[in-house]
Amino acid sequence: MGTLYYGDSGTPIGIEDQALAHLKVAIVTKLRRGESFTVSWLHADDQPRGRSTLWLHHTIPLRFVFDDVEPPELSREWIEDLMRSANSTGGVLLVDEHVHTYRAPGGATQQIDA
């Protein structure tokens, strides 16, 4: 389970390493171009109903942390799908098969699950 830290929020966002690696490529590509976009997800069943959205902008600090030492093999098709959705008005929507709930040490939880 990888972790995304965004802005000055101390709440980590847990995303499966494979999904985070693909999302990282899309995010870095967009932000290098100076292009902002959103990433959204539905809350897990054990969380209050709803969804969350991040506005990704190059001026907001961002850190990717991976549990796996070796980077996963990347799928060009998956990255292209993420890029297409990042270019849409709806932004990237993380889905079930790519994202899981992460419980931070000490009980703080930021959930990403579709």
Side-chain angles (χ1 to χ4, degrees), residues 37-52:
F37 64 103
T38 61
V39 174
S40 301
W41 62 91
L42 299 177
H43 294 175
D45 293 338
D46 65 342
Q47 301 294 310
R49 282 180 38 102
R51 60 187 157 84
S52 293

mmCIF file with all atom_site columns, all heavy atoms in Angstrom, residues 37-52:
data_model
loop_
_atom_site.group_PDB
_atom_site.id
_atom_site.type_symbol
_atom_site.label_atom_id
_atom_site.label_alt_id
_atom_site.label_comp_id
_atom_site.label_asym_id
_atom_site.label_entity_id
_atom_site.label_seq_id
_atom_site.pdbx_PDB_ins_code
_atom_site.Cartn_x
_atom_site.Cartn_y
_atom_site.Cartn_z
_atom_site.occupancy
_atom_site.B_iso_or_equiv
_atom_site.pdbx_formal_charge
_atom_site.auth_seq_id
_atom_site.auth_comp_id
_atom_site.auth_asym_id
_atom_site.auth_atom_id
_atom_site.pdbx_PDB_model_num
ATOM 1   N N   . PHE A 1 37 ? -5.543  19.764 -12.386 1.00 0.00 ? 37 PHE A N   1
ATOM 2   C CA  . PHE A 1 37 ? -6.679  18.866 -12.612 1.00 0.00 ? 37 PHE A CA  1
ATOM 3   C C   . PHE A 1 37 ? -7.113  18.286 -11.276 1.00 0.00 ? 37 PHE A C   1
ATOM 4   O O   . PHE A 1 37 ? -6.487  18.555 -10.250 1.00 0.00 ? 37 PHE A O   1
ATOM 5   C CB  . PHE A 1 37 ? -6.312  17.760 -13.606 1.00 0.00 ? 37 PHE A CB  1
ATOM 6   C CG  . PHE A 1 37 ? -5.226  16.839 -13.129 1.00 0.00 ? 37 PHE A CG  1
ATOM 7   C CD1 . PHE A 1 37 ? -5.526  15.575 -12.650 1.00 0.00 ? 37 PHE A CD1 1
ATOM 8   C CD2 . PHE A 1 37 ? -3.899  17.238 -13.166 1.00 0.00 ? 37 PHE A CD2 1
ATOM 9   C CE1 . PHE A 1 37 ? -4.522  14.734 -12.211 1.00 0.00 ? 37 PHE A CE1 1
ATOM 10  C CE2 . PHE A 1 37 ? -2.886  16.401 -12.740 1.00 0.00 ? 37 PHE A CE2 1
ATOM 11  C CZ  . PHE A 1 37 ? -3.204  15.140 -12.254 1.00 0.00 ? 37 PHE A CZ  1
ATOM 12  N N   . THR A 1 38 ? -8.191  17.509 -11.295 1.00 0.00 ? 38 THR A N   1
ATOM 13  C CA  . THR A 1 38 ? -8.690  16.904 -10.060 1.00 0.00 ? 38 THR A CA  1
ATOM 14  C C   . THR A 1 38 ? -8.495  15.390 -10.075 1.00 0.00 ? 38 THR A C   1
ATOM 15  O O   . THR A 1 38 ? -8.433  14.763 -11.125 1.00 0.00 ? 38 THR A O   1
ATOM 16  C CB  . THR A 1 38 ? -10.193 17.187 -9.851  1.00 0.00 ? 38 THR A CB  1
ATOM 17  O OG1 . THR A 1 38 ? -10.937 16.628 -10.933 1.00 0.00 ? 38 THR A OG1 1
ATOM 18  C CG2 . THR A 1 38 ? -10.456 18.678 -9.737  1.00 0.00 ? 38 THR A CG2 1
ATOM 19  N N   . VAL A 1 39 ? -8.400  14.837 -8.860  1.00 0.00 ? 39 VAL A N   1
ATOM 20  C CA  . VAL A 1 39 ? -8.416  13.391 -8.642  1.00 0.00 ? 39 VAL A CA  1
ATOM 21  C C   . VAL A 1 39 ? -9.499  13.139 -7.600  1.00 0.00 ? 39 VAL A C   1
ATOM 22  O O   . VAL A 1 39 ? -9.491  13.759 -6.530  1.00 0.00 ? 39 VAL A O   1
ATOM 23  C CB  . VAL A 1 39 ? -7.060  12.862 -8.140  1.00 0.00 ? 39 VAL A CB  1
ATOM 24  C CG1 . VAL A 1 39 ? -7.145  11.385 -7.781  1.00 0.00 ? 39 VAL A CG1 1
ATOM 25  C CG2 . VAL A 1 39 ? -5.970  13.105 -9.169  1.00 0.00 ? 39 VAL A CG2 1
ATOM 26  N N   . SER A 1 40 ? -10.430 12.245 -7.913  1.00 0.00 ? 40 SER A N   1
ATOM 27  C CA  . SER A 1 40 ? -11.566 11.971 -7.023  1.00 0.00 ? 40 SER A CA  1
ATOM 28  C C   . SER A 1 40 ? -11.668 10.490 -6.706  1.00 0.00 ? 40 SER A C   1
ATOM 29  O O   . SER A 1 40 ? -11.181 9.649  -7.455  1.00 0.00 ? 40 SER A O   1
ATOM 30  C CB  . SER A 1 40 ? -12.875 12.413 -7.689  1.00 0.00 ? 40 SER A CB  1
ATOM 31  O OG  . SER A 1 40 ? -12.841 13.778 -8.002  1.00 0.00 ? 40 SER A OG  1
ATOM 32  N N   . TRP A 1 41 ? -12.336 10.177 -5.600  1.00 0.00 ? 41 TRP A N   1
ATOM 33  C CA  . TRP A 1 41 ? -12.601 8.799  -5.217  1.00 0.00 ? 41 TRP A CA  1
ATOM 34  C C   . TRP A 1 41 ? -13.835 8.758  -4.328  1.00 0.00 ? 41 TRP A C   1
ATOM 35  O O   . TRP A 1 41 ? -14.189 9.742  -3.687  1.00 0.00 ? 41 TRP A O   1
ATOM 36  C CB  . TRP A 1 41 ? -11.400 8.182  -4.499  1.00 0.00 ? 41 TRP A CB  1
ATOM 37  C CG  . TRP A 1 41 ? -11.050 8.873  -3.214  1.00 0.00 ? 41 TRP A CG  1
ATOM 38  C CD1 . TRP A 1 41 ? -11.511 8.567  -1.955  1.00 0.00 ? 41 TRP A CD1 1
ATOM 39  C CD2 . TRP A 1 41 ? -10.182 10.004 -3.054  1.00 0.00 ? 41 TRP A CD2 1
ATOM 40  N NE1 . TRP A 1 41 ? -10.969 9.438  -1.043  1.00 0.00 ? 41 TRP A NE1 1
ATOM 41  C CE2 . TRP A 1 41 ? -10.155 10.323 -1.689  1.00 0.00 ? 41 TRP A CE2 1
ATOM 42  C CE3 . TRP A 1 41 ? -9.428  10.760 -3.943  1.00 0.00 ? 41 TRP A CE3 1
ATOM 43  C CZ2 . TRP A 1 41 ? -9.393  11.378 -1.183  1.00 0.00 ? 41 TRP A CZ2 1
ATOM 44  C CZ3 . TRP A 1 41 ? -8.676  11.814 -3.439  1.00 0.00 ? 41 TRP A CZ3 1
ATOM 45  C CH2 . TRP A 1 41 ? -8.658  12.115 -2.070  1.00 0.00 ? 41 TRP A CH2 1
ATOM 46  N N   . LEU A 1 42 ? -14.494 7.611  -4.315  1.00 0.00 ? 42 LEU A N   1
ATOM 47  C CA  . LEU A 1 42 ? -15.631 7.380  -3.427  1.00 0.00 ? 42 LEU A CA  1
ATOM 48  C C   . LEU A 1 42 ? -15.106 6.852  -2.106  1.00 0.00 ? 42 LEU A C   1
ATOM 49  O O   . LEU A 1 42 ? -14.116 6.111  -2.066  1.00 0.00 ? 42 LEU A O   1
ATOM 50  C CB  . LEU A 1 42 ? -16.588 6.354  -4.049  1.00 0.00 ? 42 LEU A CB  1
ATOM 51  C CG  . LEU A 1 42 ? -17.194 6.745  -5.396  1.00 0.00 ? 42 LEU A CG  1
ATOM 52  C CD1 . LEU A 1 42 ? -18.056 5.601  -5.921  1.00 0.00 ? 42 LEU A CD1 1
ATOM 53  C CD2 . LEU A 1 42 ? -17.994 8.021  -5.289  1.00 0.00 ? 42 LEU A CD2 1
ATOM 54  N N   . HIS A 1 43 ? -15.782 7.185  -1.017  1.00 0.00 ? 43 HIS A N   1
ATOM 55  C CA  . HIS A 1 43 ? -15.368 6.714  0.301   1.00 0.00 ? 43 HIS A CA  1
ATOM 56  C C   . HIS A 1 43 ? -15.694 5.237  0.477   1.00 0.00 ? 43 HIS A C   1
ATOM 57  O O   . HIS A 1 43 ? -16.685 4.745  -0.071  1.00 0.00 ? 43 HIS A O   1
ATOM 58  C CB  . HIS A 1 43 ? -16.057 7.517  1.389   1.00 0.00 ? 43 HIS A CB  1
ATOM 59  C CG  . HIS A 1 43 ? -15.646 8.947  1.409   1.00 0.00 ? 43 HIS A CG  1
ATOM 60  N ND1 . HIS A 1 43 ? -16.212 9.863  2.244   1.00 0.00 ? 43 HIS A ND1 1
ATOM 61  C CD2 . HIS A 1 43 ? -14.713 9.631  0.681   1.00 0.00 ? 43 HIS A CD2 1
ATOM 62  C CE1 . HIS A 1 43 ? -15.660 11.049 2.050   1.00 0.00 ? 43 HIS A CE1 1
ATOM 63  N NE2 . HIS A 1 43 ? -14.739 10.929 1.099   1.00 0.00 ? 43 HIS A NE2 1
ATOM 64  N N   . ALA A 1 44 ? -14.872 4.557  1.248   1.00 0.00 ? 44 ALA A N   1
ATOM 65  C CA  . ALA A 1 44 ? -15.067 3.129  1.532   1.00 0.00 ? 44 ALA A CA  1
ATOM 66  C C   . ALA A 1 44 ? -16.307 2.928  2.390   1.00 0.00 ? 44 ALA A C   1
ATOM 67  O O   . ALA A 1 44 ? -16.822 3.860  3.017   1.00 0.00 ? 44 ALA A O   1
ATOM 68  C CB  . ALA A 1 44 ? -13.842 2.571  2.255   1.00 0.00 ? 44 ALA A CB  1
ATOM 69  N N   . ASP A 1 45 ? -16.773 1.700  2.442   1.00 0.00 ? 45 ASP A N   1
ATOM 70  C CA  . ASP A 1 45 ? -17.975 1.376  3.209   1.00 0.00 ? 45 ASP A CA  1
ATOM 71  C C   . ASP A 1 45 ? -17.839 1.702  4.686   1.00 0.00 ? 45 ASP A C   1
ATOM 72  O O   . ASP A 1 45 ? -18.822 2.019  5.337   1.00 0.00 ? 45 ASP A O   1
ATOM 73  C CB  . ASP A 1 45 ? -18.326 -0.109 3.040   1.00 0.00 ? 45 ASP A CB  1
ATOM 74  C CG  . ASP A 1 45 ? -18.755 -0.435 1.615   1.00 0.00 ? 45 ASP A CG  1
ATOM 75  O OD1 . ASP A 1 45 ? -19.184 0.488  0.891   1.00 0.00 ? 45 ASP A OD1 1
ATOM 76  O OD2 . ASP A 1 45 ? -18.651 -1.614 1.234   1.00 0.00 ? 45 ASP A OD2 1
ATOM 77  N N   . ASP A 1 46 ? -16.615 1.615  5.243   1.00 0.00 ? 46 ASP A N   1
ATOM 78  C CA  . ASP A 1 46 ? -16.426 1.888  6.667   1.00 0.00 ? 46 ASP A CA  1
ATOM 79  C C   . ASP A 1 46 ? -16.194 3.372  6.958   1.00 0.00 ? 46 ASP A C   1
ATOM 80  O O   . ASP A 1 46 ? -15.914 3.750  8.078   1.00 0.00 ? 46 ASP A O   1
ATOM 81  C CB  . ASP A 1 46 ? -15.278 1.046  7.230   1.00 0.00 ? 46 ASP A CB  1
ATOM 82  C CG  . ASP A 1 46 ? -13.932 1.394  6.625   1.00 0.00 ? 46 ASP A CG  1
ATOM 83  O OD1 . ASP A 1 46 ? -13.900 2.031  5.554   1.00 0.00 ? 46 ASP A OD1 1
ATOM 84  O OD2 . ASP A 1 46 ? -12.904 1.021  7.223   1.00 0.00 ? 46 ASP A OD2 1
ATOM 85  N N   . GLN A 1 47 ? -16.358 4.220  5.968   1.00 0.00 ? 47 GLN A N   1
ATOM 86  C CA  . GLN A 1 47 ? -16.205 5.667  6.096   1.00 0.00 ? 47 GLN A CA  1
ATOM 87  C C   . GLN A 1 47 ? -17.560 6.340  5.935   1.00 0.00 ? 47 GLN A C   1
ATOM 88  O O   . GLN A 1 47 ? -18.483 5.744  5.387   1.00 0.00 ? 47 GLN A O   1
ATOM 89  C CB  . GLN A 1 47 ? -15.248 6.198  5.017   1.00 0.00 ? 47 GLN A CB  1
ATOM 90  C CG  . GLN A 1 47 ? -13.872 5.604  5.068   1.00 0.00 ? 47 GLN A CG  1
ATOM 91  C CD  . GLN A 1 47 ? -13.151 6.003  6.331   1.00 0.00 ? 47 GLN A CD  1
ATOM 92  O OE1 . GLN A 1 47 ? -13.104 7.173  6.672   1.00 0.00 ? 47 GLN A OE1 1
ATOM 93  N NE2 . GLN A 1 47 ? -12.611 5.024  7.032   1.00 0.00 ? 47 GLN A NE2 1
ATOM 94  N N   . PRO A 1 48 ? -17.676 7.588  6.388   1.00 0.00 ? 48 PRO A N   1
ATOM 95  C CA  . PRO A 1 48 ? -18.925 8.308  6.116   1.00 0.00 ? 48 PRO A CA  1
ATOM 96  C C   . PRO A 1 48 ? -19.177 8.345  4.605   1.00 0.00 ? 48 PRO A C   1
ATOM 97  O O   . PRO A 1 48 ? -18.243 8.471  3.813   1.00 0.00 ? 48 PRO A O   1
ATOM 98  C CB  . PRO A 1 48 ? -18.647 9.712  6.654   1.00 0.00 ? 48 PRO A CB  1
ATOM 99  C CG  . PRO A 1 48 ? -17.581 9.521  7.684   1.00 0.00 ? 48 PRO A CG  1
ATOM 100 C CD  . PRO A 1 48 ? -16.738 8.378  7.177   1.00 0.00 ? 48 PRO A CD  1
ATOM 101 N N   . ARG A 1 49 ? -20.449 8.224  4.234   1.00 0.00 ? 49 ARG A N   1
ATOM 102 C CA  . ARG A 1 49 ? -20.805 8.230  2.807   1.00 0.00 ? 49 ARG A CA  1
ATOM 103 C C   . ARG A 1 49 ? -20.253 9.470  2.130   1.00 0.00 ? 49 ARG A C   1
ATOM 104 O O   . ARG A 1 49 ? -20.138 10.515 2.730   1.00 0.00 ? 49 ARG A O   1
ATOM 105 C CB  . ARG A 1 49 ? -22.329 8.230  2.648   1.00 0.00 ? 49 ARG A CB  1
ATOM 106 C CG  . ARG A 1 49 ? -22.964 6.896  2.854   1.00 0.00 ? 49 ARG A CG  1
ATOM 107 C CD  . ARG A 1 49 ? -24.478 6.961  2.677   1.00 0.00 ? 49 ARG A CD  1
ATOM 108 N NE  . ARG A 1 49 ? -24.912 7.845  1.594   1.00 0.00 ? 49 ARG A NE  1
ATOM 109 C CZ  . ARG A 1 49 ? -25.314 7.437  0.399   1.00 0.00 ? 49 ARG A CZ  1
ATOM 110 N NH1 . ARG A 1 49 ? -25.325 6.160  0.122   1.00 0.00 ? 49 ARG A NH1 1
ATOM 111 N NH2 . ARG A 1 49 ? -25.705 8.296  -0.519  1.00 0.00 ? 49 ARG A NH2 1
ATOM 112 N N   . GLY A 1 50 ? -19.938 9.316  0.877   1.00 0.00 ? 50 GLY A N   1
ATOM 113 C CA  . GLY A 1 50 ? -19.508 10.476 0.118   1.00 0.00 ? 50 GLY A CA  1
ATOM 114 C C   . GLY A 1 50 ? -18.317 10.201 -0.763  1.00 0.00 ? 50 GLY A C   1
ATOM 115 O O   . GLY A 1 50 ? -17.966 9.063  -1.036  1.00 0.00 ? 50 GLY A O   1
ATOM 116 N N   . ARG A 1 51 ? -17.715 11.286 -1.187  1.00 0.00 ? 51 ARG A N   1
ATOM 117 C CA  . ARG A 1 51 ? -16.539 11.200 -2.050  1.00 0.00 ? 51 ARG A CA  1
ATOM 118 C C   . ARG A 1 51 ? -15.627 12.368 -1.720  1.00 0.00 ? 51 ARG A C   1
ATOM 119 O O   . ARG A 1 51 ? -16.025 13.347 -1.109  1.00 0.00 ? 51 ARG A O   1
ATOM 120 C CB  . ARG A 1 51 ? -16.945 11.209 -3.524  1.00 0.00 ? 51 ARG A CB  1
ATOM 121 C CG  . ARG A 1 51 ? -17.683 12.437 -3.952  1.00 0.00 ? 51 ARG A CG  1
ATOM 122 C CD  . ARG A 1 51 ? -18.201 12.288 -5.389  1.00 0.00 ? 51 ARG A CD  1
ATOM 123 N NE  . ARG A 1 51 ? -19.315 13.166 -5.623  1.00 0.00 ? 51 ARG A NE  1
ATOM 124 C CZ  . ARG A 1 51 ? -19.220 14.447 -5.965  1.00 0.00 ? 51 ARG A CZ  1
ATOM 125 N NH1 . ARG A 1 51 ? -18.045 15.007 -6.095  1.00 0.00 ? 51 ARG A NH1 1
ATOM 126 N NH2 . ARG A 1 51 ? -20.282 15.178 -6.163  1.00 0.00 ? 51 ARG A NH2 1
ATOM 127 N N   . SER A 1 52 ? -14.387 12.237 -2.142  1.00 0.00 ? 52 SER A N   1
ATOM 128 C CA  . SER A 1 52 ? -13.391 13.291 -1.934  1.00 0.00 ? 52 SER A CA  1
ATOM 129 C C   . SER A 1 52 ? -12.759 13.637 -3.268  1.00 0.00 ? 52 SER A C   1
ATOM 130 O O   . SER A 1 52 ? -12.667 12.800 -4.167  1.00 0.00 ? 52 SER A O   1
ATOM 131 C CB  . SER A 1 52 ? -12.298 12.833 -0.965  1.00 0.00 ? 52 SER A CB  1
ATOM 132 O OG  . SER A 1 52 ? -12.817 12.649 0.331   1.00 0.00 ? 52 SER A OG  1
#
